[in-house]
Amino acid sequence: MAKWGEGDPRWIVEERADATNVNNWHWTERDVTSWSQDAINGLLLGMRVEGEAGSCEITDVSNIDGEASINNRKGKLIYFYEWVVKASWTGTNKMGIKYKGTVEIPNLSDENDMDDLDISVTLCKDQPSTPLTDLMRKEGVKKIRMALGNYVKHLKTEFAQGMILPTENALNKQNEETQAKVRVDKTQIGSSTTKSPPNTGVKISTVSFTMKDDFLTSPEELYRVFLTQEMVQAFTHLAAFVDGCPGGKFRLLEGNVHGQFAELIPDQKIVMKWRFLSWPAGHAATVILNFVNKGSETELIMEARGVPSNEEERMKEGWQRYYFDAIKQTFGYGARLC
């Protein structure tokens, strides 16, 4: 996953247009190279497949070389991307013996369909032969192809928004509706509108909100749920990558959510940089989890800061469904035993 350091120029989205280009009609180009590198890395890193021979996981994405852009030509969007991707995988057989190999994708581009993508899986030369190679070549390649298809899907949907602007009348109407929504939002408890730091490269209207819930377990156990890869995979029901240490990164829900642990106070507090894949390049919310011991149960207080305004409800619903409810259902932290 790309570095999360603020001010990293790789996060800046570059957009160029003719000064006389009304409504982005004649010519507009948006450079999405850095966003694409982060997206591809996030989708591939930690990808895992399992079979009778054991399991395999992509442990490093060493090279994402190329470029990507979205172009508006007279109201028509044209997508250009061309990438050479190299990654490393580690396989573990049923006896616990580990094997290492590589993955190379030389032709991820707009000129090739996903079915035509060349995905080469090899075992390192110093490694003995293993059935895990076949596992990666069959099941691993399928998941890689699907993940890269998701990258192209996000490129052509969420990230292309705003490339064709509305007419002046439509824009005035949209501004009126937005202002009305802001007046309503200001009356809601727990939300406050701010501006994200200027060094993200894009000014984004953001909000903060707080959620609380009780779990029938100890703070120590609930804390461990968020930092243990096997437990995250259990409550999301999908492969995940979790490096549960300060500065460690995470990737879950097929790469649609990823980030980095910024601060960890054992059994008390987790601070993370958290983002949806579809958010603007370089922008991440700060999520703070506080674990409050209430005797027979733990109160989890989740505070989110710097959430894009139009993503507030989506993030709230996602945390309730895919974190709070899923953790309770998976580990039985929501039911009292008589």
Side-chain angles (χ1 to χ4, degrees):
M1 206 171 294
K3 293 181 179 178
W4 284 84
E6 294 183 350
D8 186 339
R10 288 179 2 99
W11 289 103
I12 298 174
V13 178
E14 192 174 304
E15 190 168 323
R16 299 185 296 275
D18 190 328
T20 61
N21 184 8
V22 179
N23 294 333
N24 282 352
W25 184 254
H26 301 302
W27 175 78
T28 306
E29 179 177 338
R30 176 176 290 179
D31 183 354
V32 292
T33 298
S34 62
W35 175 87
S36 294
Q37 288 169 325
D38 175 59
I40 294 171
N41 192 86
L43 286 165
L44 295 181
L45 186 63
M47 179 175 293
R48 181 183 177 89
V49 292
E50 296 184 359
E52 294 181 358
S55 62
C56 299
E57 181 175 333
I58 294 181
T59 52
D60 180 56
V61 182
S62 58
N63 185 64
I64 305 174
D65 186 25
E67 59 182 326
S69 63
I70 304 174
N71 300 275
N72 175 4
R73 296 290 187 270
K74 295 184 178 180
K76 181 180 179 180
L77 294 181
I78 302 172
Y79 305 90
F80 170 80
Y81 55 93
E82 187 171 10
W83 297 103
V84 175
V85 182
K86 296 180 181 179
S88 300
W89 61 273
T90 298
T92 306
N93 67 14
K94 296 296 185 180
M95 298 178 63
I97 300 174
K98 294 186 180 297
Y99 300 82
K100 295 184 180 296
T102 60
V103 177
E104 292 193 18
I105 308 164
N107 65 334
L108 175 59
S109 77
D110 55 285
E111 297 181 354
N112 297 315
D113 293 332
M114 279 297 134
D115 292 338
D116 299 327
L117 203 61
D118 294 329
I119 304 176
S120 174
V121 175
T122 58
L123 191 67
C124 291
K125 293 181 179 179
D126 60 345
Q127 302 285 296
S129 178
T130 172
L132 292 171
T133 308
D134 291 332
L135 176 63
M136 271 299 291
R137 286 175 177 166
K138 294 178 181 178
E139 301 305 320
V141 165
K142 287 180 184 178
K143 294 198 74 171
I144 291 171
R145 201 181 302 276
M146 183 180 301
L148 295 177
N150 285 336
Y151 154 68
V152 175
K153 178 183 176 181
H154 283 294
L155 179 69
K156 293 183 177 182
T157 53
E158 286 92 342
F159 207 82
Q161 293 179 8
M163 286 293 290
I164 301 179
L165 300 180
T167 62
E168 183 176 357
N169 290 336
L171 188 59
N172 290 335
K173 182 178 179 181
Q174 182 180 12
N175 287 337
E176 292 174 0
E177 293 175 349
T178 300
Q179 291 172 2
K181 183 178 186 302
V182 169
R183 287 195 293 269
V184 173
D185 288 346
K186 285 182 178 179
T187 67
Q188 296 179 353
I189 299 175
S191 295
S192 58
T193 303
T194 59
K195 290 287 182 179
S196 59
N199 58 3
T200 59
V202 181
K203 290 184 177 180
I204 304 171
S205 176
T206 65
V207 299
S208 300
F209 64 83
T210 299
M211 299 175 66
K212 299 179 181 180
D213 210 338
D214 292 328
F215 295 78
L216 298 178
T217 187
S218 65
E220 294 82 4
E221 187 65 20
L222 188 57
Y223 176 88
R224 193 164 69 91
V225 167
F226 288 90
L227 302 179
T228 305
Q229 180 167 299
E230 290 76 14
M231 299 184 80
V232 172
Q233 290 179 157
F235 75 75
T236 60
H237 305 289
L238 290 167
F241 173 79
V242 180
D243 183 8
C245 64
K249 298 173 183 177
F250 59 85
R251 170 189 169 273
L252 55 149
L253 298 175
E254 297 183 328
N256 288 303
V257 169
H258 61 99
Q260 185 175 32
F261 296 110
E263 180 185 358
L264 300 176
I265 301 178
D267 310 330
Q268 297 179 37
K269 184 178 182 180
I270 295 175
V271 180
M272 64 181 93
K273 292 294 184 181
W274 190 102
R275 59 178 268 116
F276 280 121
L277 177 65
S278 58
W279 284 2
H283 185 80
T286 298
V287 172
I288 304 170
L289 302 179
N290 284 295
F291 302 82
V292 181
N293 192 339
K294 297 176 68 176
S296 61
E297 60 187 26
T298 298
E299 181 182 35
L300 178 60
I301 304 173
M302 178 274 211
E303 181 182 358
R305 303 172 183 171
V307 179
S309 300
N310 61 343
E311 293 285 286
E312 179 182 3
E313 291 306 315
R314 178 190 177 197
M315 187 170 173
K316 284 180 177 178
E317 292 173 3
W319 267 84
Q320 186 64 52
R321 177 179 177 182
Y322 294 107
Y323 282 95
F324 292 178
D325 294 347
I327 288 172
K328 288 182 178 182
Q329 293 169 5
T330 301
F331 303 110
Y333 296 162
R336 293 185 181 275
L337 299 177
C338 298

